Amino acid sequence: MTATTPSDRPAIPAGRVELPPGAAGGDPRFVNDDLLPVPVAARRWTTYNFAALWVGMAHNIPSWLLASGLVALGMDWKQAVLTIALANVIVLLPMLLTGHAGPKYGIPFPVLARASFGLRGANLPALIRAGVACAWFGIQTWIGGQGIFVLLDKVFGGWAEAARVGGQPWTLWLCFVLFWMLELAIIHRGMETLRRFENWAAPFVIVGAFVLLVWIAVKAGGFGPLLDQPSRLGWGPDFWPVFFPALMGMIAFWATLSLNIPDFTRFGAGQRAQVWGQTLGLPTTMTLFALLSVLVTSGSQAVYGAPVWDPVALAARTDNVFGLLFALVTVLVATISVNIAANVVSPAYDLANLAPKLVDFRTGALITGVVGVVIMPWKLTETPELYIFTWLGLVGGLLGTVAGILIADYWLVRRTVLDLAGLYRADGPYWYRGGWNPVAVLAFAVGGVLAVGGSHSAPGTGPFPEDGLIPFLRPLADYGWAVGLAASLLLYTALMRGRRGAVPS
């Protein structure tokens, strides 16, 4: 789409909280219809819609791999569920704080980031968030396509023996491409289609998870063996070195959404809807799904002698055709539900923010889909160590740093008061120096180095040196998300409050 010129748009009175679509009166370099505030009349998402969104996003294969991966790393079911429950209670707080701007102003994440980073500087956190989302989109799409491939091979046979292309059977690539096309077809229809899809997808996936639990319990001879699998770590010195990086990894799983949750809350009917919807939806469903995951994984250990942490691989062990088809549909619904909501909506807005005149929401979604394939995402889920410690640890540190700046600016510096018109004008209060806020860039750089500078890998399990990228920062690496958030929040607040005229009138 092409943005209209300033002369085509009526000016925006300062302080308004609603802009008529297509009438921003701002600089066309920073405006298109997807970035404008959602009109109040179009903000219709209720508590149920937000809760259903989280149920649909939480119940997916990578979420399952989080919990089952903790069991594979040596935790028992109680330790794994405790770790995930605590992580989701913690990450809920920044989720609610950044989500507040959505119903109040109707703006997406990249526009909110303009208040702290500047109109041009907002592209920095937006592109970081978009890059992470593209990687997650690729991971989810690969897992979904792989799940379809495994289950169809069990139903029809011979798929795994097909001729290989790029080291994989061509039938696997076919499943991957078809699944990719299905996802983009749904998102092409817009946010209202997504809302309706999430409403029915959420309960369906819960049923699928319970069916898998009942099946493995029957195979194990009851629920007793599922609950009796001991921890290999105990509660002593072997437990804590695994617990803290695992906790940060669990937080990092939704740290992406703690940034761009305004992309969804901007459609909320009010603050009550987003606060209660998220509070009822995120911690409860993630904890329930974690419980189901660890019980099923513990059951697989009792039945097969070793934990099977991949639910698709576990479901493929049945010879019941109806069960396999049901598992296939569940994999499809679960993966589409989270991938579109969590990993396409955000980068579509972020890329639109980068070039509003050239990229709209649908174009951004297509770019996300292409980039998600190019990064070869299948490498990131090869082992629990690489998935939880390396990938999620690095992502959590960087995103926690951005979250600290957003929260500091919106709540501590500006007290939730934004000049809405100024977010779209180069002559407004958020232009700073050439469109960049040096304070935000400095806070991000310092927080990011502290959060991820000590990243390290165990021998043979990841890409980082064993003693860390910056050895003296290694002790901070296990707490990357918390370190990044706290450091950037404190530094940004101190520097901005020390500047005269930092808060627009």
Side-chain angles (χ1 to χ4, degrees):
M1 60 176 286
T2 302
T4 56
T5 63
S7 61
D8 296 326
R9 303 177 185 273
I12 311 168
R16 282 187 58 184
V17 295
E18 179 182 5
L19 306 179
D27 191 321
R29 293 174 296 170
F30 306 108
V31 175
N32 70 20
D33 287 346
D34 294 315
L35 297 176
L36 288 172
V38 174
V40 171
R43 302 176 197 173
R44 297 192 296 266
W45 286 35
T46 64
T47 297
Y48 175 78
N49 293 138
F50 284 111
L53 176 75
W54 275 114
V55 172
M57 290 197 297
H59 295 166
N60 60 84
I61 295 175
S63 290
W64 186 284
L65 296 178
L66 285 181
S68 61
L70 294 180
V71 174
L73 290 171
M75 291 187 183
D76 64 15
W77 72 272
K78 296 184 291 296
Q79 293 169 333
V81 171
L82 171 66
T83 302
I84 291 176
L86 179 60
N88 284 278
V89 170
I90 292 172
V91 81
L92 176 66
L93 180 59
M95 201 84 67
L96 297 178
L97 292 176
T98 54
H100 184 276
K104 184 170 184 178
Y105 295 102
I107 54 176
F109 155 66
V111 174
L112 174 63
R114 293 174 180 179
S116 52
F117 283 85
L119 268 73
R120 286 176 172 162
N123 288 317
L124 173 62
L127 289 179
I128 291 172
R129 174 63 183 93
V132 172
C134 289
W136 273 122
F137 178 83
I139 290 171
Q140 292 271 13
T141 303
W142 176 256
I143 289 175
Q146 196 174 39
I148 296 169
F149 168 78
V150 170
L151 295 173
L152 288 180
D153 180 59
K154 286 287 293 185
V155 173
F156 299 108
W159 285 53
E161 287 73 42
R164 292 184 172 267
V165 177
Q168 302 288 351
W170 70 265
T171 45
L172 174 55
W173 293 115
L174 176 63
C175 292
F176 176 62
V177 170
L178 291 177
F179 189 63
W180 177 82
M181 293 175 63
L182 176 62
E183 291 175 314
L184 293 188
I186 293 176
I187 198 61
H188 183 74
R189 298 184 63 85
M191 289 293 290
E192 186 63 20
T193 299
L194 172 62
R195 182 182 68 86
R196 293 195 298 267
F197 179 81
E198 295 289 350
N199 284 347
W200 70 263
F204 181 85
V205 176
I206 295 176
V207 171
F210 272 105
V211 168
L212 191 58
L213 174 63
V214 171
W215 171 72
I216 198 66
V218 171
K219 294 277 289 184
F223 285 96
L226 278 62
L227 301 173
D228 290 340
Q229 297 300 314
S231 169
R232 300 198 307 271
L233 303 174
W235 291 95
D238 293 335
F239 174 72
W240 302 110
V242 175
F243 170 75
F244 285 111
L247 180 68
M248 292 299 107
M250 301 304 106
I251 292 173
F253 189 75
W254 290 123
T256 48
L257 267 294
S258 71
L259 297 186
N260 75 285
I261 195 66
D263 293 343
F264 300 95
T265 61
R266 68 195 297 235
F267 297 96
Q271 296 296 344
R272 181 182 179 88
Q274 74 101 1
V275 170
W276 279 105
Q278 294 200 80
T279 302
L280 295 174
L282 174 58
T284 54
T285 53
M286 278 296 290
T287 302
L288 173 62
F289 203 59
L291 180 61
L292 292 173
S293 171
V294 297
L295 289 179
V296 170
T297 305
S298 295
S300 70
Q301 186 170 346
V303 173
Y304 301 110
V308 182
W309 77 308
D310 185 344
V312 174
L314 183 61
R317 294 185 180 239
T318 181
D319 293 323
N320 184 288
V321 174
F322 174 78
L324 287 168
L325 292 176
F326 180 80
L328 175 62
V329 175
T330 303
V331 166
L332 278 169
V333 173
T335 307
I336 291 174
S337 177
V338 66
N339 215 15
I340 292 176
N343 302 319
V344 175
V345 172
S346 171
Y349 285 128
D350 297 337
L351 294 168
N353 184 72
L354 180 65
K357 295 175 65 176
L358 301 175
V359 180
D360 62 8
F361 180 82
R362 289 180 171 85
T363 305
L366 179 60
I367 295 173
T368 300
V370 173
V371 174
V373 174
V374 170
I375 63 167
M376 296 186 292
W378 43 88
K379 296 291 185 181
L380 294 176
T381 55
E382 286 183 333
T383 68
E385 291 84 2
L386 184 62
Y387 179 54
I388 294 175
F389 295 157
T390 302
W391 164 243
L392 290 178
L394 183 64
V395 165
L398 292 176
L399 297 182
T401 302
V402 175
I405 295 170
L406 294 182
I407 293 169
D409 183 80
Y410 184 70
W411 286 95
L412 302 179
V413 175
R414 308 188 191 280
R415 307 289 184 178
T416 76
V417 177
L418 298 177
D419 180 341
L420 189 58
L423 293 170
Y424 299 90
R425 293 203 317 261
D427 60 350
Y430 309 115
W431 187 245
Y432 299 105
R433 295 182 184 176
W436 290 79
N437 181 3
V439 171
V441 175
L442 177 62
F444 173 77
V446 172
V449 169
L450 292 175
V452 305
S455 298
H456 59 277
S457 302
T461 64
F464 301 126
E466 186 178 353
D467 58 350
L469 294 171
I470 304 176
F472 76 90
L473 292 178
R474 176 173 174 171
L476 300 180
D478 290 346
Y479 314 94
W481 179 84
V483 168
L485 186 144
S488 63
L489 184 148
L490 294 174
L491 181 58
Y492 182 88
T493 302
L495 293 177
M496 286 296 286
R497 284 185 171 177
R499 293 181 58 198
R500 183 181 299 274
V503 182
S505 58

